[in-house]
Amino acid sequence: MPRPRSDEKRSAILEAATRIIVMQGLSAPTAGIAKEAGVANGSFFTYFETKTVLFNHLYLEIKAEMASAILKNRSASAEPREELFHVWRNWMNWAVSNPQKRKALAQLGVSDEITPDTRAAGHKTMAPIAELLERARAHGPMQKARKGFVGALMNSIAEATMDFMTQDPANAKKYSKEGFDALWRMLN
Amino acid sequence: MPRPRSDEKRSAILEAATRIIVMQGLSAPTAGIAKEAGVANGSFFTYFETKTVLFNHLYLEIKAEMASAILKNRSASAEPREELFHVWRNWMNWAVSNPQKRKALAQLGVSDEITPDTRAAGHKTMAPIAELLERARAHGPMQKARKGFVGALMNSIAEATMDFMTQDPANAKKYSKEGFDALWRMLN
DNA sequence: TAATAAAGACTGACTAGACAGGCAACAACA
DNA sequence: TGTTGTTGCCTGTCTAGTCAGTCTTTATTA
């Protein structure tokens, strides 16, 4: 049997890229990422054809992981408010526990190396959350607003809240509660 | 007497940089910016010592212009809600009228070439708006939240709203109203 | 008014360095 | 020994910033 192409090294590169991007930005040399991953300079390109391909994979991976963390342990029965709050808490927890991934994701998100296809795929992983939001706003003042707009507003409030939580961890809980209450007031 | 160094060319470079950044991103070559400004390659550096210096100047200039547009024609007497809405409308109008500047500012804002000093100065130009927000939230449920946090929430809602307005201009007015109402609900 | 000089704004070819990706050689396993 | 993953050196390309020199305008003089 041929020695299998190591998925571990693939993951190592993705993780190394996260760390390096946080520290040095997207213009960081591939050589640095390879070194951080404990892999030879040229090996980088046996795992990812180009730097851009790596970026697109990393974007999707982090986004998918985040979506999965957000949707963990849902109780299907709960009231809309409770349901949304559960998701909110998962979201904020993930952000506090994974500041690097969040930071890297933010950088990747504004890069023009991320293709529309990748963005669309990333958006798709968030679809269940959008659906949940639909129920939460169903009877409130935003019921006639465009679906995507409400989602964008929620997302922007969440991002701002997460920024403050990571920047001032001592008051993280406070920000989380205030942020969610603000969101709920907006929806109802 | 020496011929005066042309402020027009300085402005031309700043304007050219805005256009080029929107089209090509921050990694666009200085040569391209110089060409777009109708200035020789090397002249770029007689107006701005380095590319980073240009970026910092541009960031501040756009931010200051935006703040000035937002604060235009204020009537000091009005009710908090009216006062805030006036500012909101100015803000949205500026965004719709200057999509390129907004886009360039967004790119510059996430760049790590913008120094903390520059960010602080940019923040300062928005101080009057923050003050106004203080009055608007004074009697609402967010009166005990940290000042900067409320400002960040307002800003994030405004950004999301402006995104949708520029992306779907036909419904711009609708988004503007819905966005402001959402903000006000959040504050009260 | 015309000729000359001085100043300094402006130019663009050039350089030094950085980096993405290629590739020829190598190592490990069957 | 053949096959395949892995290596790290190499190269072609790109670009920020430099600098020796040109050009334009103003000041001075006759």
Side-chain angles (χ1 to χ4, degrees):
Chain A
M1 214 169 87
R3 186 153 40 119
R5 180 170 299 200
S6 162
D7 275 355
E8 277 176 30
K9 288 198 178 168
R10 222 185 127 85
S11 301
I13 291 175
L14 285 164
E15 281 165 32
T18 305
R19 266 172 270 135
I20 294 284
I21 287 171
V22 168
M23 292 189 309
Q24 308 186 29
L26 298 180
S27 62
T30 53
I33 296 171
K35 192 178 179 187
E36 173 82 14
V39 155
N41 193 327
S43 292
F44 179 98
F45 296 97
T46 71
Y47 291 101
F48 299 96
E49 288 149 34
T50 67
K51 196 185 186 184
T52 301
V53 168
L54 167 72
F55 283 169
N56 279 271
H57 275 265
L58 186 57
Y59 176 88
L60 261 188
E61 192 183 82
I62 297 179
K63 197 126 192 174
E65 190 209 290
M66 183 179 79
S68 145
I70 291 176
L71 292 167
K72 202 155 267 176
N73 300 326
R74 287 171 61 199
S75 52
S77 59
E79 288 282 305
R81 191 181 198 278
E82 293 312 312
E83 207 176 358
L84 190 62
F85 181 63
H86 178 78
V87 159
W88 177 270
R89 188 146 59 175
N90 280 346
W91 200 348
M92 298 302 125
N93 278 344
W94 181 85
V96 169
S97 314
N98 300 275
Q100 290 207 328
K101 285 181 183 172
R102 198 170 94 84
K103 209 167 173 181
L105 187 60
Q107 301 229 27
L108 291 164
V110 299
S111 162
D112 49 8
E113 302 202 58
I114 305 300
T115 67
D117 281 2
T118 301
R119 283 180 207 280
H123 212 86
K124 217 171 175 180
T125 65
M126 301 284 273
I129 299 160
E131 209 174 311
L132 198 157
L133 183 62
E134 279 306 287
R135 257 171 285 154
R137 67 144 171 169
H139 303 295
M142 303 209 79
Q143 57 188 281
K144 301 195 75 172
R146 212 181 108 193
K147 188 172 171 176
F149 184 46
V150 184
L153 288 176
M154 173 178 70
N155 195 69
S156 71
I157 290 174
E159 289 290 341
T161 305
M162 291 185 285
D163 282 343
F164 273 75
M165 289 175 76
T166 43
Q167 179 205 300
D168 176 14
N171 295 304
K173 261 213 159 103
K174 191 163 157 267
Y175 291 126
S176 174
K177 185 186 172 358
E178 284 172 357
F180 179 77
D181 289 345
L183 169 64
W184 190 256
R185 251 176 275 129
M186 188 182 86
L187 295 172
N188 287 275
Chain B
M1 219 170 87
R3 183 160 38 123
R5 180 168 298 198
S6 162
D7 276 354
E8 278 176 30
K9 291 201 177 165
R10 221 185 127 86
S11 302
I13 291 175
L14 285 164
E15 281 164 32
T18 305
R19 267 172 270 135
I20 295 283
I21 287 171
V22 168
M23 292 189 308
Q24 308 184 30
L26 298 181
S27 62
T30 52
I33 296 171
K35 192 179 179 186
E36 172 82 12
V39 155
N41 193 327
S43 292
F44 179 99
F45 297 96
T46 70
Y47 292 100
F48 300 95
E49 287 150 34
T50 67
K51 197 185 186 185
T52 300
V53 167
L54 166 72
F55 283 168
N56 279 270
H57 274 265
L58 187 57
Y59 175 89
L60 260 188
E61 192 183 82
I62 298 180
K63 196 126 193 173
E65 191 210 290
M66 184 179 79
S68 146
I70 291 177
L71 292 167
K72 204 156 264 175
N73 300 326
R74 288 170 62 199
S75 53
S77 59
E79 289 282 304
R81 190 182 200 279
E82 293 311 312
E83 207 175 0
L84 191 62
F85 181 62
H86 178 79
V87 159
W88 177 270
R89 189 145 62 176
N90 281 346
W91 200 346
M92 299 300 125
N93 279 344
W94 181 85
V96 169
S97 314
N98 300 275
Q100 291 209 326
K101 284 180 183 171
R102 198 170 93 86
K103 209 167 173 181
L105 187 60
Q107 301 229 29
L108 290 164
V110 299
S111 161
D112 50 8
E113 302 203 59
I114 305 300
T115 66
D117 280 2
T118 301
R119 284 181 206 280
H123 212 87
K124 217 171 176 181
T125 65
M126 301 284 273
I129 298 160
E131 209 174 311
L132 198 156
L133 183 63
E134 280 304 287
R135 257 171 284 153
R137 67 142 172 170
H139 304 296
M142 304 208 78
Q143 57 189 280
K144 301 194 75 173
R146 213 181 107 193
K147 189 172 171 177
F149 185 45
V150 184
L153 288 175
M154 172 178 72
N155 194 69
S156 71
I157 290 174
E159 289 290 341
T161 304
M162 292 185 284
D163 282 343
F164 272 75
M165 290 175 77
T166 44
Q167 176 205 301
D168 176 13
N171 295 304
K173 261 212 159 104
K174 191 163 157 268
Y175 292 125
S176 174
K177 185 184 171 2
E178 284 172 356
F180 180 77
D181 289 345
L183 170 63
W184 190 256
R185 251 176 276 129
M186 188 182 87
L187 294 172
N188 288 274

